[in-house]
Amino acid sequence: MSVILALAGDTTVALDDAAISRSLAAMGAAAGDRVAIWRGVRVALAVARQPWEMSASFSGEALIVAQGELAVAADASIYYRDALRAALDRARITPAGDSASHLILAAYRAWGEECAAHLEGDFAFAIWDGVAHRIVAARDFSGKRTLYHSTVNGALVLASTAGGALALPGGSHALNLTVIAETAAGLWGGSAETCYESVRAVLGGWTLVRQGGEPPRLRQHWSVPAAST
C-alpha cells in the first residue's frame, strides 16, 4: 500500500522535508519506497509508495499529481475505468493520465466535492484546490485504505495512520481513555474516535472538506442501498 500525508494551514511552512519524511516513516514507509513531497501556498502533500503498488492496475507510478492549482495524493485502485472515462467525457473532462491519481483529479474537476460518489474502487485521497483554498479527502465505502484527520499547531493534517499525525512536531499523544476502555470491553461500534484524543478517522464512505480556515465538514457520500422488495 501507499501512505499519504496532507497538511493545510499557516504553520505548514514551518515543517521541513525531514519532518514530513519522519511522519511517512511512522506510517510504515520503508527505505525502498518511492517518496514525493509537493508544496503549495500553506499546503503540503506527500506520498510514499511500495514498489508493488507502482503497477498501473494499482496506484501507479504517479505519486503527487499536480495540474495548475490542483494537486492530489492518493492511495488507490480505481475500478471500471472505461465507465469512469465515459462519464468524464460526458462532463467534458479529459484525464491528463491513466493512473488512479489522474482519474481522481479528473473526477474532482468534473464533480467537485461530490467526486468520491462517482468513483468505484478502494481508495483514500486528499485533493488540494488552490483556487478555492479547499482540501477534499475521502475514502471508499469499504474503507480498505485508511485515512485519519487531526489538527497540529493549527494546521489540518490528513494521514494514512494516526501515527502519521502524532509524529509531526506538536502532535498530541493524549490518550482517549473512553475509547480504549470500550475497545477493551469489546464495545467498539464504528465510531470515528480513536484511542488518541486529537485524531479522528475519516470513515469509509465519507468525505471531509475544509474550506479556507473553517473547521472541517464531514458528510457521507455513500450509504447502503435500500433493498428492493
Side-chain angles (χ1 to χ4, degrees), residues 13-105:
V13 295
L15 291 173
D16 58 15
D17 286 0
I20 291 175
S21 295
R22 285 193 294 272
S23 175
L24 295 174
M27 293 188 284
D33 290 355
R34 283 190 59 189
V35 175
I37 298 172
W38 176 90
R39 292 182 182 274
V41 179
R42 295 187 295 278
V43 64
L45 303 178
V47 171
R49 182 159 297 153
Q50 296 178 4
W52 68 271
E53 273 279 288
M54 305 300 289
S55 167
S57 59
F58 294 106
S59 290
E61 293 186 356
L63 296 177
I64 304 292
V65 172
Q67 300 172 10
E69 293 294 322
L70 299 176
V72 60
D75 175 22
S77 294
I78 299 299
Y79 309 151
Y80 309 113
R81 295 185 177 205
D82 289 344
L84 175 58
R85 289 189 185 95
L88 290 168
D89 187 61
R90 291 191 294 272
R92 299 184 178 181
I93 296 295
T94 301
D98 294 325
S99 76
S101 293
H102 284 101
L103 294 172
I104 290 168
L105 201 57

Coordinates of all heavy atoms in Angstrom, one line a residue, residues 13-105:
V13 N 4.2 25.8 6.6 CA 5.5 26.3 6.0 C 6.7 26.0 7.0 O 7.8 26.0 6.6 CB 5.4 27.8 5.7 CG1 4.5 28.0 4.6 CG2 5.1 28.6 6.9
A14 N 6.4 25.9 8.3 CA 7.4 25.6 9.3 C 7.9 24.2 9.3 O 8.9 23.9 9.9 CB 6.9 26.0 10.7
L15 N 7.2 23.3 8.6 CA 7.6 21.9 8.5 C 8.5 21.6 7.4 O 8.2 21.9 6.2 CB 6.4 21.0 8.4 CG 5.4 20.9 9.6 CD1 4.1 20.2 9.2 CD2 6.1 20.3 10.8
D16 N 9.7 21.2 7.7 CA 10.7 20.9 6.6 C 10.5 19.5 6.1 O 9.7 18.7 6.6 CB 12.1 21.1 7.1 CG 12.5 20.2 8.3 OD1 11.8 19.3 8.6 OD2 13.5 20.5 8.9
D17 N 11.2 19.1 5.0 CA 11.0 17.8 4.4 C 11.4 16.7 5.4 O 10.8 15.6 5.3 CB 11.9 17.7 3.1 CG 11.3 18.5 2.0 OD1 10.2 19.1 2.2 OD2 11.9 18.5 0.9
A18 N 12.4 17.0 6.3 CA 12.8 15.9 7.2 C 11.6 15.6 8.2 O 11.4 14.4 8.5 CB 14.0 16.4 8.0
A19 N 10.8 16.6 8.6 CA 9.7 16.3 9.5 C 8.6 15.5 8.8 O 8.0 14.6 9.3 CB 9.1 17.6 10.0
I20 N 8.4 15.9 7.5 CA 7.4 15.1 6.7 C 7.9 13.7 6.5 O 7.1 12.8 6.6 CB 7.2 15.9 5.4 CG1 6.4 17.2 5.6 CG2 6.4 15.0 4.4 CD1 6.2 18.1 4.4
S21 N 9.2 13.5 6.2 CA 9.7 12.2 6.0 C 9.6 11.3 7.3 O 9.3 10.1 7.2 CB 11.2 12.2 5.6 OG 11.3 12.9 4.3
R22 N 9.8 12.0 8.4 CA 9.6 11.2 9.7 C 8.1 10.8 9.9 O 7.9 9.7 10.4 CB 10.0 12.1 10.9 CG 11.5 12.2 11.0 CD 11.9 12.8 12.3 NE 11.5 14.1 12.5 CZ 12.2 15.2 12.1 NH1 13.4 15.0 11.5 NH2 11.8 16.4 12.3
S23 N 7.2 11.6 9.4 CA 5.8 11.2 9.5 C 5.5 10.1 8.6 O 4.8 9.1 9.0 CB 4.9 12.4 9.1 OG 3.5 12.1 9.1
L24 N 6.0 10.1 7.4 CA 5.8 9.0 6.4 C 6.4 7.7 7.0 O 5.8 6.6 6.9 CB 6.5 9.3 5.1 CG 5.9 10.5 4.3 CD1 6.7 10.8 3.0 CD2 4.4 10.2 3.9
A25 N 7.6 7.8 7.6 CA 8.3 6.6 8.2 C 7.4 6.1 9.4 O 7.3 4.8 9.5 CB 9.7 7.0 8.7
A26 N 6.8 6.9 10.1 CA 6.0 6.5 11.2 C 4.7 5.7 10.7 O 4.1 4.9 11.5 CB 5.5 7.7 12.1
M27 N 4.4 6.0 9.5 CA 3.2 5.3 8.9 C 3.7 4.0 8.2 O 2.8 3.3 7.5 CB 2.5 6.2 8.0 CG 1.8 7.3 8.7 SD 0.7 8.3 7.6 CE 1.8 9.3 6.7
G28 N 4.9 3.7 8.2 CA 5.4 2.4 7.6 C 6.2 2.5 6.4 O 6.5 1.5 5.7
A29 N 6.5 3.8 5.9 CA 7.3 3.9 4.7 C 8.6 3.3 4.9 O 9.3 3.5 5.9 CB 7.4 5.4 4.4
A30 N 9.1 2.5 3.9 CA 10.3 1.8 4.0 C 11.4 2.4 3.1 O 11.1 3.3 2.3 CB 10.1 0.3 3.7
A31 N 12.6 2.0 3.3 CA 13.8 2.6 2.6 C 13.6 2.4 1.1 O 14.0 3.3 0.3 CB 15.1 1.9 3.1
G32 N 13.0 1.3 0.6 CA 12.9 1.1 -0.8 C 11.6 1.8 -1.4 O 11.5 1.6 -2.7
D33 N 10.8 2.4 -0.7 CA 9.6 3.1 -1.2 C 10.0 4.3 -2.0 O 11.0 5.0 -1.7 CB 8.7 3.5 -0.1 CG 8.0 2.3 0.6 OD1 8.2 1.2 0.1 OD2 7.3 2.6 1.6
R34 N 9.2 4.6 -3.0 CA 9.4 5.9 -3.7 C 8.6 7.0 -2.9 O 7.5 6.8 -2.5 CB 8.8 5.8 -5.1 CG 9.7 5.1 -6.1 CD 9.3 5.2 -7.5 NE 9.2 6.6 -7.9 CZ 8.7 7.0 -9.1 NH1 8.1 6.1 -9.9 NH2 8.7 8.3 -9.4
V35 N 9.2 8.1 -2.8 CA 8.6 9.2 -2.0 C 8.6 10.5 -2.8 O 9.5 10.8 -3.6 CB 9.5 9.5 -0.7 CG1 9.0 10.7 0.1 CG2 9.5 8.2 0.2
A36 N 7.5 11.2 -2.6 CA 7.3 12.5 -3.2 C 6.7 13.5 -2.2 O 5.8 13.1 -1.5 CB 6.5 12.5 -4.5
I37 N 7.2 14.7 -2.2 CA 6.7 15.8 -1.4 C 6.4 17.0 -2.3 O 7.3 17.4 -3.1 CB 7.7 16.2 -0.3 CG1 7.9 15.0 0.7 CG2 7.1 17.4 0.5 CD1 9.1 15.3 1.7
W38 N 5.2 17.5 -2.2 CA 4.8 18.6 -3.0 C 4.3 19.7 -2.1 O 3.6 19.5 -1.1 CB 3.6 18.2 -4.0 CG 3.0 19.3 -4.8 CD1 3.4 19.7 -6.0 CD2 1.9 20.2 -4.4 NE1 2.6 20.8 -6.4 CE2 1.7 21.1 -5.4 CE3 1.1 20.2 -3.2 CZ2 0.7 22.0 -5.4 CZ3 0.1 21.2 -3.2 CH2 -0.1 22.1 -4.3
R39 N 4.7 21.0 -2.4 CA 4.3 22.1 -1.6 C 3.6 23.2 -2.5 O 4.0 23.5 -3.6 CB 5.5 22.7 -0.9 CG 6.2 21.9 0.1 CD 7.4 22.5 0.8 NE 8.0 21.7 1.7 CZ 7.6 21.6 3.0 NH1 6.6 22.3 3.4 NH2 8.3 20.8 3.8
G40 N 2.5 23.7 -1.9 CA 1.8 24.9 -2.4 C 1.9 26.0 -1.4 O 2.7 25.9 -0.4
V41 N 1.0 26.9 -1.5 CA 0.9 28.0 -0.5 C 0.2 27.5 0.7 O -1.0 27.2 0.7 CB 0.2 29.3 -1.1 CG1 0.1 30.4 -0.1 CG2 0.9 29.7 -2.4
R42 N 0.9 27.4 1.8 CA 0.4 26.9 3.1 C -0.2 25.5 3.0 O -1.2 25.2 3.7 CB -0.6 27.9 3.6 CG 0.0 29.3 4.0 CD -1.0 30.2 4.7 NE -2.1 30.5 3.9 CZ -2.1 31.5 3.0 NH1 -1.0 32.2 2.8 NH2 -3.2 31.8 2.2
V43 N 0.3 24.7 2.1 CA -0.1 23.3 2.0 C 1.0 22.4 1.6 O 1.9 22.9 0.9 CB -1.3 23.2 1.0 CG1 -0.8 23.6 -0.4 CG2 -1.9 21.8 1.0
A44 N 1.0 21.2 2.0 CA 2.0 20.2 1.6 C 1.3 18.9 1.4 O 0.4 18.5 2.3 CB 3.1 20.1 2.6
L45 N 1.6 18.1 0.4 CA 1.2 16.8 0.2 C 2.4 15.9 0.1 O 3.4 16.3 -0.5 CB 0.3 16.6 -1.1 CG -0.9 17.5 -1.3 CD1 -1.5 17.3 -2.6 CD2 -1.9 17.3 -0.1
A46 N 2.3 14.6 0.6 CA 3.4 13.7 0.5 C 2.8 12.3 0.3 O 1.7 11.9 0.8 CB 4.2 13.7 1.7
V47 N 3.6 11.5 -0.4 CA 3.3 10.1 -0.7 C 4.5 9.2 -0.6 O 5.6 9.6 -1.0 CB 2.7 9.9 -2.1 CG1 2.5 8.4 -2.4 CG2 1.3 10.6 -2.2
A48 N 4.4 8.1 0.1 CA 5.4 7.0 0.0 C 4.7 5.8 -0.5 O 3.7 5.3 0.0 CB 6.0 6.8 1.4
R49 N 5.3 5.2 -1.6 CA 4.6 4.1 -2.3 C 5.5 2.9 -2.4 O 6.7 3.0 -2.8 CB 4.2 4.5 -3.7 CG 3.4 3.5 -4.4 CD 2.6 4.1 -5.5 NE 1.6 5.0 -4.9 CZ 1.0 6.0 -5.5 NH1 1.4 6.3 -6.8 NH2 0.2 6.8 -4.9
Q50 N 5.0 1.7 -2.0 CA 5.8 0.5 -2.1 C 5.9 0.1 -3.6 O 5.0 0.4 -4.4 CB 5.1 -0.6 -1.3 CG 5.0 -0.4 0.2 CD 4.3 -1.5 0.9 OE1 3.9 -2.5 0.4 NE2 4.2 -1.2 2.2
P51 N 7.0 -0.6 -4.0 CA 7.2 -0.9 -5.4 C 6.0 -1.7 -6.0 O 5.7 -1.4 -7.2 CB 8.5 -1.8 -5.3 CG 9.2 -1.3 -4.1 CD 8.1 -1.0 -3.1
W52 N 5.4 -2.6 -5.3 CA 4.3 -3.4 -6.0 C 3.1 -2.5 -6.3 O 2.3 -2.9 -7.2 CB 3.9 -4.6 -5.1 CG 3.3 -4.3 -3.8 CD1 3.8 -4.0 -2.6 CD2 1.8 -4.1 -3.6 NE1 2.9 -3.7 -1.7 CE2 1.7 -3.8 -2.2 CE3 0.7 -4.2 -4.4 CZ2 0.4 -3.6 -1.7 CZ3 -0.5 -4.0 -3.9 CH2 -0.7 -3.7 -2.5
E53 N 3.0 -1.4 -5.6 CA 1.9 -0.5 -5.9 C 2.1 0.4 -7.1 O 1.2 1.1 -7.5 CB 1.6 0.4 -4.6 CG 0.7 -0.2 -3.6 CD -0.7 0.0 -3.9 OE1 -1.3 1.1 -3.9 OE2 -1.4 -1.0 -4.3
M54 N 3.3 0.3 -7.7 CA 3.6 1.1 -8.9 C 2.9 0.6 -10.1 O 2.9 1.3 -11.2 CB 5.1 1.2 -9.1 CG 5.9 1.6 -7.9 SD 5.4 3.3 -7.3 CE 6.1 4.3 -8.6
S55 N 2.3 -0.6 -10.1 CA 1.6 -1.1 -11.2 C 0.5 -0.2 -11.6 O -0.2 0.4 -10.8 CB 1.1 -2.5 -10.9 OG 0.2 -3.0 -11.9
A56 N 0.2 -0.2 -12.9 CA -0.9 0.7 -13.4 C -2.3 0.2 -12.9 O -3.2 1.0 -12.8 CB -0.9 0.7 -15.0
S57 N -2.4 -1.0 -12.6 CA -3.7 -1.6 -12.1 C -3.9 -1.2 -10.6 O -5.0 -1.4 -10.1 CB -3.7 -3.1 -12.3 OG -2.7 -3.7 -11.6
F58 N -2.8 -0.8 -9.9 CA -2.9 -0.3 -8.6 C -2.8 1.2 -8.5 O -3.5 1.9 -9.2 CB -1.9 -1.0 -7.7 CG -2.1 -2.5 -7.6 CD1 -1.3 -3.4 -8.3 CD2 -3.1 -3.0 -6.8 CE1 -1.5 -4.7 -8.2 CE2 -3.3 -4.4 -6.7 CZ -2.5 -5.2 -7.4
S59 N -2.0 1.8 -7.7 CA -1.9 3.2 -7.6 C -1.1 3.8 -8.7 O -1.3 5.0 -9.1 CB -1.3 3.6 -6.2 OG -2.1 3.4 -5.2
G60 N -0.2 3.1 -9.3 CA 0.6 3.6 -10.5 C 1.8 4.3 -10.1 O 2.1 4.6 -9.0
E61 N 2.6 4.7 -11.2 CA 3.8 5.4 -11.0 C 3.7 6.8 -10.5 O 4.6 7.4 -10.0 CB 4.7 5.3 -12.2 CG 5.1 3.9 -12.6 CD 6.0 3.8 -13.8 OE1 6.3 4.9 -14.4 OE2 6.5 2.7 -14.1
A62 N 2.6 7.5 -10.8 CA 2.4 8.9 -10.5 C 2.2 9.0 -8.9 O 1.4 8.3 -8.4 CB 1.2 9.5 -11.2
L63 N 3.1 9.8 -8.3 CA 3.0 9.9 -6.8 C 2.1 11.1 -6.5 O 0.9 10.9 -6.2 CB 4.4 10.1 -6.3 CG 5.3 8.8 -6.5 CD1 6.7 9.1 -5.9 CD2 4.7 7.6 -5.8
I64 N 2.6 12.3 -6.6 CA 1.8 13.5 -6.5 C 1.4 14.0 -7.9 O 2.3 14.2 -8.7 CB 2.5 14.7 -5.7 CG1 3.0 14.2 -4.3 CG2 1.6 15.9 -5.6 CD1 1.9 13.9 -3.4
V65 N 0.2 14.1 -8.2 CA -0.3 14.6 -9.5 C -0.7 16.1 -9.3 O -1.6 16.3 -8.5 CB -1.4 13.8 -10.1 CG1 -2.0 14.5 -11.3 CG2 -0.9 12.4 -10.5
A66 N -0.1 17.0 -9.9 CA -0.4 18.4 -9.8 C -0.7 19.0 -11.2 O 0.0 18.7 -12.2 CB 0.7 19.2 -9.2
Q67 N -1.9 19.7 -11.3 CA -2.3 20.3 -12.5 C -2.8 21.7 -12.2 O -3.8 21.9 -11.6 CB -3.4 19.5 -13.2 CG -3.0 18.1 -13.6 CD -4.2 17.3 -14.0 OE1 -5.3 17.8 -14.2 NE2 -4.1 16.0 -14.1
G68 N -1.9 22.7 -12.5 CA -2.3 24.1 -12.2 C -2.4 24.3 -10.7 O -1.5 24.0 -9.9
E69 N -3.6 24.7 -10.2 CA -3.8 24.9 -8.8 C -4.4 23.7 -8.1 O -4.7 23.8 -6.9 CB -4.7 26.1 -8.6 CG -4.2 27.4 -9.0 CD -3.0 27.9 -8.1 OE1 -3.1 27.6 -6.9 OE2 -2.0 28.4 -8.7
L70 N -4.4 22.6 -8.8 CA -4.9 21.3 -8.2 C -3.8 20.3 -8.0 O -2.9 20.2 -8.8 CB -6.0 20.7 -9.1 CG -7.3 21.5 -9.4 CD1 -8.1 20.7 -10.4 CD2 -8.0 21.8 -8.1
A71 N -3.9 19.6 -6.9 CA -2.9 18.5 -6.6 C -3.6 17.5 -5.8 O -4.5 17.7 -5.0 CB -1.7 19.1 -5.9
V72 N -3.2 16.2 -6.0 CA -3.8 15.1 -5.3 C -2.7 14.1 -4.8 O -1.7 13.8 -5.5 CB -4.8 14.3 -6.2 CG1 -4.2 13.8 -7.4 CG2 -5.5 13.2 -5.4
A73 N -2.9 13.6 -3.6 CA -2.1 12.5 -3.0 C -3.1 11.4 -2.8 O -4.1 11.6 -2.1 CB -1.4 12.9 -1.7
A74 N -2.8 10.2 -3.3 CA -3.8 9.1 -3.3 C -3.2 7.8 -3.0 O -2.1 7.5 -3.5 CB -4.6 9.0 -4.6
D75 N -3.9 7.0 -2.2 CA -3.6 5.6 -2.0 C -4.8 4.9 -2.6 O -5.9 4.8 -1.9 CB -3.4 5.3 -0.5 CG -3.2 3.8 -0.2 OD1 -2.8 3.0 -1.1 OD2 -3.5 3.4 0.9
A76 N -4.7 4.4 -3.8 CA -6.0 4.0 -4.5 C -5.8 3.0 -5.6 O -4.7 2.9 -6.3 CB -6.6 5.3 -5.1
S77 N -6.8 2.2 -5.8 CA -7.0 1.4 -7.0 C -8.4 1.8 -7.5 O -9.4 1.7 -6.7 CB -7.0 -0.1 -6.7 OG -5.7 -0.5 -6.4
I78 N -8.5 2.2 -8.8 CA -9.8 2.6 -9.3 C -10.3 1.5 -10.3 O -9.5 1.1 -11.2 CB -9.7 4.0 -10.1 CG1 -9.2 5.0 -9.1 CG2 -11.0 4.3 -10.7 CD1 -10.2 5.3 -7.9
Y79 N -11.5 1.1 -10.2 CA -12.1 0.0 -11.0 C -13.0 0.7 -12.1 O -13.3 1.9 -12.0 CB -12.9 -0.9 -10.1 CG -12.2 -1.5 -8.9 CD1 -13.0 -1.8 -7.8 CD2 -10.9 -1.6 -8.9 CE1 -12.3 -2.3 -6.6 CE2 -10.2 -2.1 -7.8 CZ -10.9 -2.5 -6.6 OH -10.3 -2.9 -5.5
Y80 N -13.5 -0.2 -13.0 CA -14.4 0.2 -14.0 C -14.0 1.5 -14.7 O -14.7 2.5 -14.9 CB -15.8 0.4 -13.5 CG -16.3 -0.8 -12.7 CD1 -16.5 -0.8 -11.3 CD2 -16.5 -2.1 -13.3 CE1 -16.9 -1.9 -10.6 CE2 -16.8 -3.2 -12.6 CZ -17.1 -3.1 -11.2 OH -17.4 -4.2 -10.5
R81 N -12.7 1.5 -15.1 CA -12.1 2.8 -15.6 C -12.8 3.2 -17.0 O -12.9 4.4 -17.2 CB -10.6 2.6 -15.8 CG -9.9 2.4 -14.5 CD -8.4 2.3 -14.6 NE -7.8 2.2 -13.3 CZ -6.5 2.6 -13.1 NH1 -5.8 3.1 -14.1 NH2 -6.0 2.5 -11.9
D82 N -13.2 2.3 -17.8 CA -13.8 2.7 -19.0 C -15.1 3.4 -18.8 O -15.4 4.4 -19.4 CB -14.1 1.5 -19.9 CG -12.8 0.9 -20.5 OD1 -11.8 1.6 -20.5 OD2 -12.8 -0.3 -20.9
A83 N -15.9 2.9 -17.8 CA -17.2 3.6 -17.4 C -16.9 5.0 -16.9 O -17.6 5.9 -17.1 CB -18.0 2.8 -16.5
L84 N -15.8 5.1 -16.0 CA -15.5 6.4 -15.5 C -15.1 7.4 -16.6 O -15.5 8.5 -16.6 CB -14.4 6.2 -14.4 CG -13.8 7.5 -13.8 CD1 -14.9 8.3 -13.1 CD2 -12.7 7.2 -12.8
R85 N -14.2 6.9 -17.5 CA -13.8 7.8 -18.6 C -15.0 8.2 -19.4 O -15.0 9.4 -19.9 CB -12.7 7.1 -19.4 CG -11.4 6.9 -18.8 CD -10.3 6.4 -19.7 NE -9.1 6.1 -19.1 CZ -8.7 4.9 -18.7 NH1 -9.5 3.9 -18.8 NH2 -7.5 4.7 -18.1
A86 N -15.9 7.3 -19.6 CA -17.1 7.7 -20.4 C -17.9 8.8 -19.7 O -18.4 9.8 -20.3 CB -18.0 6.5 -20.7
A87 N -18.1 8.7 -18.3 CA -18.8 9.7 -17.6 C -18.0 11.0 -17.6 O -18.6 12.1 -17.7 CB -18.9 9.2 -16.1
L88 N -16.7 10.9 -17.5 CA -15.9 12.1 -17.6 C -16.0 12.8 -18.9 O -16.1 14.0 -19.0 CB -14.4 11.8 -17.3 CG -14.1 11.4 -15.8 CD1 -12.7 10.8 -15.7 CD2 -14.2 12.6 -14.9
D89 N -16.0 12.0 -20.0 CA -16.2 12.5 -21.3 C -17.5 13.3 -21.5 O -17.6 14.3 -22.1 CB -16.1 11.4 -22.3 CG -16.1 11.9 -23.8 OD1 -15.2 12.7 -24.1 OD2 -17.0 11.6 -24.5
R90 N -18.6 12.7 -20.9 CA -19.9 13.4 -20.9 C -19.8 14.7 -20.1 O -20.6 15.6 -20.4 CB -21.0 12.5 -20.3 CG -21.3 11.3 -21.2 CD -22.6 10.6 -20.7 NE -22.4 10.0 -19.4 CZ -22.0 8.7 -19.2 NH1 -21.6 8.0 -20.2 NH2 -21.9 8.2 -18.0
A91 N -19.0 14.8 -19.1 CA -18.8 16.0 -18.4 C -17.7 16.9 -19.0 O -17.4 18.0 -18.5 CB -18.3 15.7 -16.9
R92 N -17.2 16.5 -20.2 CA -16.2 17.2 -21.0 C -14.9 17.4 -20.2 O -14.3 18.5 -20.2 CB -16.8 18.6 -21.4 CG -18.0 18.5 -22.3 CD -18.6 19.8 -22.8 NE -19.7 19.6 -23.7 CZ -20.3 20.6 -24.3 NH1 -20.0 21.9 -24.1 NH2 -21.4 20.3 -25.1
I93 N -14.5 16.4 -19.5 CA -13.3 16.4 -18.8 C -12.4 15.3 -19.3 O -12.9 14.1 -19.4 CB -13.5 16.2 -17.3 CG1 -14.3 17.4 -16.7 CG2 -12.2 16.0 -16.5 CD1 -13.6 18.7 -16.7
T94 N -11.2 15.6 -19.6 CA -10.2 14.6 -20.1 C -9.1 14.4 -19.1 O -8.4 15.3 -18.8 CB -9.6 15.0 -21.4 OG1 -10.6 15.2 -22.4 CG2 -8.6 13.9 -21.9
P95 N -9.0 13.2 -18.5 CA -7.9 12.9 -17.6 C -6.5 13.2 -18.3 O -6.3 12.9 -19.4 CB -8.0 11.5 -17.2 CG -9.4 11.1 -17.5 CD -9.8 12.0 -18.7
A96 N -5.6 13.7 -17.5 CA -4.2 14.0 -18.0 C -3.3 12.8 -18.0 O -2.2 12.9 -18.6 CB -3.6 15.1 -17.2
G97 N -3.8 11.7 -17.5 CA -3.0 10.5 -17.4 C -3.9 9.3 -17.1 O -5.1 9.5 -16.9
D98 N -3.3 8.1 -17.0 CA -4.1 6.9 -16.7 C -4.0 6.4 -15.3 O -4.6 5.4 -15.0 CB -3.6 5.8 -17.7 CG -3.9 6.1 -19.1 OD1 -4.9 6.7 -19.4 OD2 -3.0 5.7 -20.0
S99 N -3.2 7.0 -14.4 CA -3.0 6.5 -13.1 C -4.3 6.8 -12.3 O -5.2 7.6 -12.6 CB -1.8 7.1 -12.4 OG -2.1 8.5 -12.0
A100 N -4.4 6.1 -11.1 CA -5.5 6.3 -10.2 C -5.6 7.8 -9.8 O -6.7 8.4 -9.7 CB -5.4 5.4 -9.0
S101 N -4.5 8.4 -9.5 CA -4.4 9.8 -9.1 C -4.9 10.7 -10.2 O -5.7 11.7 -9.9 CB -3.0 10.2 -8.7 OG -2.6 9.5 -7.5
H102 N -4.5 10.4 -11.5 CA -5.0 11.3 -12.6 C -6.6 11.1 -12.7 O -7.2 12.2 -12.9 CB -4.4 10.8 -13.9 CG -3.0 11.2 -14.1 ND1 -1.9 10.4 -13.8 CD2 -2.4 12.4 -14.4 CE1 -0.8 11.0 -14.1 NE2 -1.1 12.3 -14.4
L103 N -7.1 9.9 -12.5 CA -8.5 9.8 -12.6 C -9.3 10.4 -11.5 O -10.3 11.0 -11.7 CB -8.9 8.3 -12.7 CG -8.3 7.5 -14.0 CD1 -8.6 6.0 -13.8 CD2 -9.0 8.0 -15.2
I104 N -8.7 10.3 -10.3 CA -9.4 11.0 -9.1 C -9.4 12.5 -9.3 O -10.4 13.2 -9.1 CB -8.6 10.6 -7.9 CG1 -8.9 9.1 -7.5 CG2 -9.1 11.5 -6.7 CD1 -8.0 8.6 -6.4
L105 N -8.3 13.1 -9.8 CA -8.2 14.5 -10.0 C -9.2 14.9 -11.1 O -9.8 16.0 -11.1 CB -6.8 15.0 -10.4 CG -6.5 16.4 -10.1 CD1 -6.8 16.8 -8.6 CD2 -5.0 16.8 -10.4

